[in-house]
Amino acid sequence: MLSIALSELVQIFRNRLVLVTGLVMPVAVSAFFISRHEVFAALGSLGYIAAVVLFTVAAFTLYTTTVTTLASRRQNLFLKRLRSTAAGDTGILLGLLLPVTAISLVQAAVIMTVLGAVTGAPDNVLLLAAAVVATMIMMLGLALATAGVTNSPEHAQVTTLPIAIGTIVVASWVGIAGTEDLTLLKRLLPGGSAAELVVNAWNGGVPIADSLILLAPTLSWVVVAVALASRSFRWEPRR
């Protein structure tokens, strides 16, 4: 697994498209939000900014890169060759996903730290960490499901758009408008509960028990995504 992960890490830094969409773009967007934090805080709150930058990293660095990577490795038969080795299916997927997941978590941590240094620390750091981890797990599950219906890296530019853009839009909607209206809809949409959890963790003022409940819808999407991935994921190109 570690040898696969190291090889995949090298490939990530060699791929200019992945570097731009998965690393440069999220950092640039986050830098913009942080530099204009007073404007965006007036529009929503500091928690809103934290939610948007988190989902920007999760959508582009993690989700889009994962789908593109898996589609590419399937197309060039790398996945098929890996299955002929001693590594099991779980070990192969863990090795392929470990580098981009680690990069995403580090990126999110650094951006949140910078936001906290500029605007003030979040109210509950541990709750924020739980929200970040839950969000990343959800986006990984959705990436596996999307990879199952993605035929090539070029096709990934189309298949990833609905979820990548959709989760950011939902996070913005929740961050700005809150969940007082259309509560159930906002919490059940992918990213809605996670975004609300981030807002609560950063801004405070909400009982811990009420916030922890929001983990349930987020993790439910993981179950749904894994179920879809188990039906659609392929190790070889479709004939």
Side-chain angles (χ1 to χ4, degrees), residues 179-189 193 217:
T179 56
E180 287 77 14
D181 298 322
L182 301 174
T183 303
L184 185 61
L185 173 62
K186 291 177 180 177
R187 288 179 175 176
L188 291 181
L189 286 172
S193 294

Side-chain angles (χ1 to χ4, degrees), residues 17-224:
L17 178 61
V18 169
L19 284 177
V20 172
T21 59
L23 299 179
V24 177
M25 186 190 303
V27 170
V29 171
S30 300
F32 174 74
F33 271 87
I34 293 173
S35 66
R36 303 293 183 88
H37 66 273
E38 293 180 351
V39 175
F40 290 108
L43 178 64
S45 65
L46 292 177
Y48 156 62
I49 299 174
V52 169
V53 297
L54 171 61
F55 272 91
T56 300
V57 172
F60 290 101
T61 303
L62 183 58
Y63 171 76
T64 302
T65 302
T66 297
V67 176
T68 303
T69 296
L70 292 175
S72 175
R73 302 299 177 264
R74 180 194 298 121
Q75 186 182 53
N76 62 21
L77 302 180
F78 185 63
L79 287 181
K80 181 179 180 180
R81 291 196 296 272
L82 283 177
R83 293 192 87 191
S84 66
T85 66
D89 290 353
T90 301
I92 292 172
L93 287 176
L94 287 175
L96 291 172
L97 301 181
L98 182 59
V100 67
T101 303
I103 291 171
S104 301
L105 288 171
V106 170
Q107 200 174 45
V110 170
I111 291 171
M112 293 292 181
T113 300
V114 172
L115 177 62
V118 172
T119 65
D123 181 78
N124 192 319
V125 176
L126 291 179
L127 189 62
L128 179 63
V132 170
V133 172
T135 299
M136 295 299 183
I137 293 174
M138 180 186 73
M139 296 306 287
L140 269 178
L142 293 172
L144 287 172
T146 306
V149 296
T150 303
N151 298 324
S152 66
E154 295 75 22
H155 191 208
Q157 297 177 33
V158 176
T159 59
T160 58
L161 279 179
I163 289 178
I165 301 301
T167 51
I168 294 174
V169 169
V170 170
S172 297
W173 185 25
V174 171
I176 293 174
T179 56
E180 287 77 14
D181 298 322
L182 301 174
T183 303
L184 185 61
L185 173 62
K186 291 177 180 177
R187 288 179 175 176
L188 291 181
L189 286 172
S193 294
E196 185 179 359
L197 185 58
V198 172
V199 172
N200 292 348
W202 198 283
N203 295 341
V206 178
I208 297 294
D210 292 346
S211 293
L212 289 177
I213 292 174
L214 298 172
L215 288 171
T218 302
L219 297 179
S220 295
W221 275 108
V222 177
V223 175
V224 172

